[in-house]
Amino acid sequence: MTELPPLNSLRAFDAAGRRLSFRSAAEELGVTQGAVAQQVRQLEAHLDAVLFERVPKGLAFTSVGRSYHNRIAGVFADLRAATAELKPEPNKVLISVTPTFAAKWLIPNLPDFTAAHPDIDLRIMATERVSSFHSDGIDLAVRQGSPPFGASLDVTLLFRQSLIAVAAPKFGDKRDAPLDPETLAKQPKIHDTHDQWPGYFSHLGIQDQSSRHLRLSQTSLAVDAAIAGQGLALVSRFLVAQDLEAGRLVEVGAAWDAVGNDFYVLMPRTAKNNATVVNVMTWLTARSAEDA
């Protein structure tokens, strides 16, 4: 049986590898920089392999070190997740949302949440990937789509998908009325990964006649590009409510209620006994009702 290296050496290697710095690893572990360096040297001696190259600005992996760290970091992440499940942090709630939902709705509404629940530590995981309630330690998640999302989840509607065409004021009708469809069809368009424009024009019964298109990876970037005057964006009304109110954007096209792509908040049914998670869930649904 292969003898395992000392745990302290592995912890030092894990921290140094994540930060590529003995100094930063030492701050994380609460030890001296020399202690971290010594632990890594002991690990290298145990493995008879060089794991790091010492470079002027810190550390760089060797090919062996990078491969080994990928495995070790995963093991420590699993250990931390398993410990967190057994010993959850009180009043901490981790919510998974897309970057656009975070930037355009959740973060602007955080002052209201903090005022209502100053004792809750709300943590936001903003990512395009679908996070796992189990392995990522997620308490709540906002998803766009159509139920069912899973038999073990409670699902609550937050927002219907009501899409509107928006643009900087310079594109708007001087009478503050939406552009007629033919005029709208000729304007430059901004696309995100959902690319709802074809469905929108099909709904209007016309063809897009744009000569210029800008394609971006996130809806929030499309909104920002529209504010910057780069063309028309097609987005959910609630995501641009504040920009419309502030005059950064104007509505230039009729609304389209796209079916089957609404916004829901998901909560594991096992979380019903967690008052803190339920409080966040209740706030989300109440606040969204005000903005719907």
Side-chain angles (χ1 to χ4, degrees):
M1 181 184 294
T2 302
E3 182 183 354
L4 291 175
L7 178 59
N8 282 341
S9 293
L10 290 174
R11 287 185 66 214
F13 173 60
D14 170 54
R18 283 186 284 104
R19 297 174 175 273
L20 292 179
S21 165
F22 286 151
R23 180 181 59 80
S24 296
E27 292 175 356
E28 175 183 326
L29 298 175
V31 297
T32 65
Q33 180 174 336
V36 173
Q38 182 180 6
Q39 290 289 352
V40 171
R41 284 195 297 270
Q42 289 178 357
L43 180 60
E44 289 177 323
H46 181 93
L47 300 173
D48 193 22
V50 178
L51 302 174
F52 291 119
E53 294 177 358
R54 280 63 171 175
V55 295
K57 293 186 178 180
L59 303 171
F61 279 121
T62 63
S63 58
V64 172
R66 180 178 292 103
S67 176
Y68 191 53
H69 188 269
N70 286 340
R71 301 288 296 274
I72 295 300
V75 171
F76 274 102
D78 287 344
L79 286 172
R80 284 189 288 268
T83 303
E85 288 183 15
L86 291 175
K87 189 179 179 181
E89 298 177 67
N91 296 331
K92 185 267 293 183
V93 175
L94 180 60
I95 183 170
S96 170
V97 298
T98 65
T100 293
F101 189 90
K104 297 301 181 182
W105 189 83
L106 184 53
I107 291 175
N109 280 294
L110 282 183
D112 178 82
F113 174 81
T114 302
H117 300 287
D119 57 325
I120 296 179
D121 178 11
L122 184 64
R123 303 182 184 183
I124 301 169
M125 178 185 288
T127 175
E128 294 289 359
R129 73 179 181 86
V130 177
S131 303
S132 166
F133 283 94
H134 178 69
S135 61
D136 293 324
I138 301 300
D139 298 301
L140 296 169
V142 174
R143 296 283 181 267
Q144 190 176 0
S146 299
F149 292 96
S152 64
L153 300 172
D154 276 346
V155 179
T156 303
L157 177 68
L158 286 183
F159 294 102
R160 294 289 183 190
Q161 172 76 306
S162 180
L163 293 167
I164 57 173
V166 296
K170 70 177 183 179
F171 284 95
D173 190 293
K174 300 305 181 184
R175 298 166 298 168
D176 293 327
L179 301 176
D180 65 84
E182 292 297 330
T183 301
L184 186 147
K186 297 175 183 177
Q187 305 304 314
K189 304 300 188 303
I190 304 169
H191 303 257
D192 58 18
T193 52
H194 300 290
D195 199 15
Q196 299 275 12
W197 279 114
Y200 183 72
F201 281 113
S202 177
H203 165 71
L204 294 179
I206 60 174
Q207 295 290 322
D208 184 14
Q209 301 174 42
S210 307
S211 59
R212 183 160 60 90
H213 297 267
L214 176 62
R215 301 184 185 277
L216 299 165
S217 61
Q218 294 180 6
T219 305
S220 60
L221 297 178
V223 173
D224 291 342
I227 292 173
Q230 295 304 300
L232 278 57
L234 190 62
V235 296
S236 296
R237 182 187 297 277
F238 79 93
L239 292 174
V240 292
Q242 293 192 2
D243 293 314
L244 291 169
E245 185 177 351
R248 292 185 290 268
L249 292 172
V250 294
E251 188 172 347
V252 295
W256 174 42
D257 294 332
V259 178
N261 210 19
D262 301 322
F263 293 80
Y264 296 85
V265 58
L266 282 52
M267 180 180 75
R269 290 182 177 172
T270 55
K272 285 184 175 180
N273 296 324
N274 187 322
T276 304
V277 174
V278 171
N279 283 339
V280 176
M281 175 78 163
T282 301
W283 176 83
L284 284 167
T285 54
R287 187 66 180 178
S288 65
E290 293 178 11
D291 292 346

